[in-house]
Amino acid sequence: TPAFRRMLLVGVGTAISQQIVGIDAVQYFLVYILNEAGITGRGEVNGVLIGLGLLKLGCIFIAGRLFDRRGRRPLFFASLFGMTVAVLLLSACFFSAPGAADAGTVAATDGGNDDDDANEQPPGVSAPTVAVFALALYLASFSVGMGPGAWLIPSEVFSTSIRAKSMSIATFLNRIAGTVMSSTLLSAADALSWGGYFLFLGGVCLCVAAFLYVYLPETKGRSLEDMSVYFAELTGDRSVLEAEAKLRHEDHEDES
């Protein structure tokens, strides 16, 4: 029915959106991205990874407090804005450093000229600080909105009558989207260049923001019954309310 379809669109769409912004792909290949940006020392890489992990963890705790204070929609849009800025910064880093991906090959083939290697550093090395800042902004922004929020919204919009199956579908498609994004990252970066890939992610973030702006309702302070009424009124379909009433009646009879 229209009401149930709208619930699925919002809940499943939000779950998929969490992954198509590239979070799993970026996290799985963080070491590779740092190397491409010019951070190649094992100690430096490990330090950055630990710092980024702690930052991401801390932001999740902050999000837990802000979601009930500020509402869902503002945090989603703030999250996507920060992620868009971050991937555009990363894109600019790689576009301003053409040939960084070939740095290892250049260093290996020109090893006989140490002076030239010192002067002709891989272009990406000139912007490692910006790259680390952009990655930190990306992960922090994700963790205050898209990360926890993409699981919060499905749990708040699916009515009791379809809740179990709908959450299963949302989870399954979330993982499918994550797998596709992760397994295609290197191929996409090879085809588009690293700068082009992060520019693509920026476009995806903007599309997700547009989708959520149009379809995502504010669920702060609203019960499941309130959300069922909202979708029923929005679509003019009261079948969802009838299904909920029937389910409550059956539960009452079972208890009796």
Side-chain angles (χ1 to χ4, degrees):
T1 64
F4 287 124
R5 284 198 296 269
R6 186 69 175 231
M7 287 180 182
L8 287 169
L9 177 64
V10 174
V12 175
T14 304
I16 294 174
S17 296
Q18 183 200 53
Q19 290 301 317
I20 63 174
V21 294
I23 184 63
D24 276 5
V26 170
Q27 288 189 134
Y28 293 160
F29 291 94
L30 258 180
V31 173
Y32 201 100
I33 294 170
L34 290 173
N35 289 341
E36 291 295 322
I39 303 172
T40 55
R42 179 176 296 181
E44 290 180 314
V45 170
N46 289 338
V48 171
L49 292 178
I50 292 172
L52 292 177
L54 292 174
L55 174 65
K56 190 171 182 289
L57 178 63
C59 288
I60 291 175
F61 285 105
I62 295 172
R65 298 178 64 86
L66 291 179
F67 266 112
D68 283 331
R69 290 185 178 182
R70 302 296 183 184
R72 283 54 164 160
R73 283 174 61 92
L75 283 184
F76 269 105
F77 296 131
S79 174
L80 287 164
F81 175 77
M83 294 174 72
T84 302
V85 171
V87 293
L88 291 180
L89 276 176
L90 282 168
S91 178
C93 282
F94 284 107
F95 274 133
S96 65
D102 299 324
T105 303
V106 172
T109 56
D110 295 341
N113 194 335
D114 294 336
D115 292 337
D116 288 345
D117 286 340
N119 294 328
E120 295 180 11
Q121 291 180 321
V125 176
S126 63
T129 303
V130 177
V132 171
F133 171 78
L135 286 169
L137 177 61
Y138 176 83
L139 294 174
S141 297
F142 175 84
S143 297
V144 298
M146 287 300 296
W151 295 116
L152 181 63
I153 293 299
S155 70
E156 293 181 328
V157 300
F158 293 142
S159 65
T160 307
S161 57
I162 64 168
R163 190 178 182 81
K165 292 180 180 179
S166 299
M167 284 300 297
S168 297
I169 294 171
T171 303
F172 175 73
L173 292 180
N174 172 275
R175 298 322 309 154
I176 289 293
T179 300
V180 170
M181 294 298 295
S182 300
S183 61
T184 59
L185 181 143
L186 293 180
S187 298
D190 184 57
L192 302 174
S193 78
W194 282 100
Y197 180 76
F198 285 114
L199 189 61
F200 163 74
L201 284 186
V204 172
C205 288
L206 292 177
C207 290
V208 169
F211 168 79
L212 295 179
Y213 181 82
V214 173
Y215 292 106
L216 178 66
E218 179 55 71
T219 59
K220 175 187 174 184
R222 303 173 79 172
S223 65
L224 288 175
E225 291 76 12
D226 292 336
M227 295 310 302
S228 294
V229 172
Y230 166 81
F231 284 109
E233 293 177 347
L234 180 67
T235 60
D237 173 24
R238 300 191 64 82
S239 62
V240 62
L241 301 180
E242 295 170 1
E244 291 294 292
K246 181 179 179 181
L247 187 62
R248 286 194 297 269
H249 179 69
E250 291 175 352
D251 289 342
H252 180 70
E253 287 183 344
D254 291 339
E255 292 175 359
S256 301

